[in-house]
Amino acid sequence: MRLTVNGVEREFDADGRTLLVHAVRERAGLTGTHVGCLTGDCGACTVVLDGRTTKSCSVLALSADGGEVETVESLADGDALHPVQEAFWDEFAFQCGFCLPGMLLTAKELIESTPDPTDEQILAAINGNLCRCTGYNTIVAAVREAARRVREAG
Ligand code: FES
């Protein structure tokens, strides 16, 4: 099968049981995407598939054949963090970091569609991303701050 992952076209073998999360981690070697529950609940495996955030444990790799995937590794530009990453760092919005890849990609998607989100909109957007460390207040603050930085950057 073929996938474009973070702009790079890759070919690899997958059988009918290979999950997209395993293809991304084990075939493409991009381990920033985490494996949590494998039941579609936690959001740690979130990637962007054909432009939409997707829980990659809930997608068979073969069903994404020919598609485009963006992972958390696509966010930074070399040493320059994405504004969403910077805001999470500055607002202390993660502790263990396990949920972080999904939170970042979900936050980025929200800000692209809703440049000035309310706290309610932020909470609704991250509804499918579980964090066991922060209590969510710092995450909401980080997404709000990230949105402000993206708006300011134009
Ligand atoms: Fe996919 Fe938890 S590992 S939602």
Side-chain angles (χ1 to χ4, degrees):
M1 66 171 291
R2 212 175 270 183
L3 273 182
T4 301
V5 185
N6 298 339
V8 178
E9 192 170 301
R10 298 170 183 265
E11 272 189 36
F12 46 81
D13 294 327
D15 64 31
R17 295 171 301 173
T18 304
L19 299 175
L20 181 59
V21 66
H22 293 134
V24 166
R25 286 177 55 87
E26 294 158 19
R27 310 284 160 75
L30 295 167
T31 55
T33 303
H34 293 157
V35 178
C37 63
L38 283 179
T39 55
D41 292 314
C42 76
C45 64
T46 300
V47 299
V48 178
L49 173 62
D50 295 330
R52 298 196 63 183
T53 54
T54 301
K55 292 176 179 176
S56 59
C57 75
S58 302
V59 176
L60 292 172
L62 285 176
S63 71
D65 191 18
E68 289 192 25
V69 173
E70 291 166 49
T71 70
V72 68
E73 287 90 347
S74 71
L75 290 178
D77 183 8
D79 289 339
L81 295 179
H82 187 280
V84 176
Q85 292 173 302
E86 284 183 340
F88 269 69
W89 179 268
D90 291 342
E91 297 291 333
F92 304 99
F94 57 94
Q95 292 178 34
C96 81
F98 200 78
C99 69
L100 188 60
M103 288 289 184
L104 292 171
L105 291 172
T106 301
K108 177 173 174 274
E109 180 181 63
L110 171 67
I111 291 166
E112 285 167 356
S113 67
T114 310
D116 191 7
T118 63
D119 288 358
E120 289 71 27
Q121 288 171 317
I122 294 168
L123 285 168
I126 62 171
N127 187 34
N129 296 85
L130 302 184
C131 172
R132 298 290 170 102
C133 304
T134 65
Y136 295 97
N137 288 338
T138 55
I139 292 173
V140 172
V143 178
R144 206 186 309 125
E145 173 61 13
R148 190 191 66 74
R149 292 181 189 192
V150 169
R151 285 196 310 275
E152 258 184 18

